[in-house]
Amino acid sequence: MSESEWQVARRRKGQTRKCKSQVPLSSPSVHEQLDVEKVVKRIRTTVTELRCEEFWPKWKDELLMATSASASAEEDVTEEQLKSRDDPPECVCYGLGSFSSCAAARYQLAMLLLLLEVLQVSLKNCFVYDPIFSSGEQNVLRELGMTVLTENEEGKRPVTKPTLFYLIHCGKALYNNLLWKNWSIQGLSQLLMIGNSFNGMRERTTERVFKQEYSYISKAVGLCEEKTLPCPPRMIDVFSDTAVITFPRHILLKEPQVNWAEPHEPEYRDWQDLEIILKAQS
Ligand SMILES: C[S@@+](CC[C@H](N)C(=O)[O-])C[C@H]1O[C@@H](n2cnc3c(N)ncnc32)[C@H](O)[C@@H]1O
């Protein structure tokens, strides 16, 4: 197998507001009020806006470089090469938030659409889930062509092919669960993540809690490559602390076998502070 599951072939290198707390839109009247066509149009306008942003080409380049997923890679994957893959990759988006009412979430959704275009992921192969989505928002996502997941996986989704996980500003438990479920050389090498920097999480969390409660993120810090994605000051609430994260095989292969054996399912002591909505609550 090649250095990275994401690697196909290589060539030579060449102010919005964030919703701080998001309340589930459970009232049926709120759902009914959503004008799906209008929201779709607004998202498409936001895509056009982002495409003209100076930081967009940089995101695109970082993403293409990350698909090479190798510390020693001197060559990047081209968009043309991505098009000719036999096994098209998938995307899973967790925790987008209430994009019909929150500008930060709308910009994140628009960015996701641009990223899917670059990675040549078909919209139906993009699986989206947030327990706070209203039925109107689910309709918007379906109208865009995406697949809306109906089950709360708590991030415990095993990958079977190269998969982009897009989870911006999500709770650490979501990342930790995802890493646990894919805790193997085969699993991690197929993950491409766009989300919060693991190094940033480590800096903001006490060492004891980070190691005990989020042990998979803690271990992943030493196994991944993280590239911070640029974020203009006016977009700080939308894309702050966002990085593209990969797990190059040459790094994973250096890890002693014993560290892959029987990974234990995470257990969290402090459910109050978990920052994710559990299956039982959704
Ligand atoms: C801090 S908000 C971030 C929202 C948005 N991405 C932003 O940056 O404004 C965290 C999001 O994770 C979502 N979330 C919580 N539990 C989840 C789960 N089990 N699966 C997917 N998303 C979840 C919440 O509903 C919320 O929308």
Side-chain angles (χ1 to χ4, degrees), residues 74-227:
E74 287 173 14
E75 301 156 305
D76 308 329
V77 173
T78 65
E79 280 182 272
E80 288 69 33
Q81 286 160 344
L82 287 170
K83 264 182 214 164
S84 59
R85 277 173 306 201
D86 300 334
D87 193 12
E90 288 185 347
C91 173
V92 178
C93 169
Y94 291 135
L96 194 57
S98 195
F99 59 86
S100 65
S101 58
C102 174
R106 189 177 77 252
Y107 275 89
Q108 289 171 8
L109 174 55
M111 179 58 93
L112 175 61
L113 291 169
L114 284 176
L115 298 171
L116 296 176
E117 214 177 277
V118 171
L119 288 178
Q120 308 287 325
V121 176
S122 75
L123 288 162
K124 71 172 176 8
N125 285 337
C126 178
F127 303 91
V128 196
Y129 183 77
D130 191 315
I132 69 157
F133 284 151
S134 65
S135 58
E137 284 173 324
Q138 293 180 14
N139 288 338
V140 170
L141 294 165
R142 289 190 193 104
E143 185 62 29
L144 287 167
M146 294 169 152
T147 304
V148 179
L149 296 173
T150 49
E151 198 190 322
N152 186 347
E153 301 171 337
E154 298 177 353
K156 298 169 186 170
R157 187 180 180 92
V159 296
T160 54
K161 53 164 70 179
T163 307
L164 166 67
F165 280 86
Y166 186 78
L167 57 172
I168 300 185
H169 302 152
C170 285
K172 289 188 287 299
L174 214 54
Y175 294 86
N176 200 49
N177 289 348
L178 174 64
L179 292 169
W180 162 70
K181 198 68 190 176
N182 294 286
W183 197 254
S184 65
I185 295 174
Q186 173 72 2
L188 292 185
S189 65
Q190 301 198 88
L191 298 187
L192 175 63
M193 297 170 79
I194 292 189
N196 285 80
S197 152
F198 290 167
N199 284 299
M201 289 181 198
R202 182 173 58 180
E203 280 160 26
R204 289 188 298 270
T205 316
T206 58
E207 199 181 336
R208 184 191 58 78
V209 171
F210 197 56
K211 282 192 173 154
Q212 283 178 11
E213 298 277 288
Y214 305 107
S215 65
Y216 291 97
I217 311 178
S218 168
K219 288 185 272 189
V221 172
L223 299 172
C224 70
E225 269 185 5
E226 213 177 81
K227 281 293 188 83

Side-chain angles (χ1 to χ4, degrees), residues 208-268:
R208 184 191 58 78
V209 171
F210 197 56
K211 282 192 173 154
Q212 283 178 11
E213 298 277 288
Y214 305 107
S215 65
Y216 291 97
I217 311 178
S218 168
K219 288 185 272 189
V221 172
L223 299 172
C224 70
E225 269 185 5
E226 213 177 81
K227 281 293 188 83
T228 306
L229 291 166
C231 168
R234 69 181 188 292
M235 293 253 174
I236 220 84
D237 283 346
V238 188
F239 298 122
S240 65
D241 190 44
T242 302
V244 54
I245 300 168
T246 52
F247 295 89
R249 283 182 73 86
H250 72 272
I251 299 182
L252 300 177
L253 287 166
K254 282 187 201 149
E255 192 68 1
Q257 266 306 317
V258 65
N259 293 351
W260 302 114
E262 293 179 37
H264 295 295
E265 184 162 2
E267 281 175 26
Y268 302 98

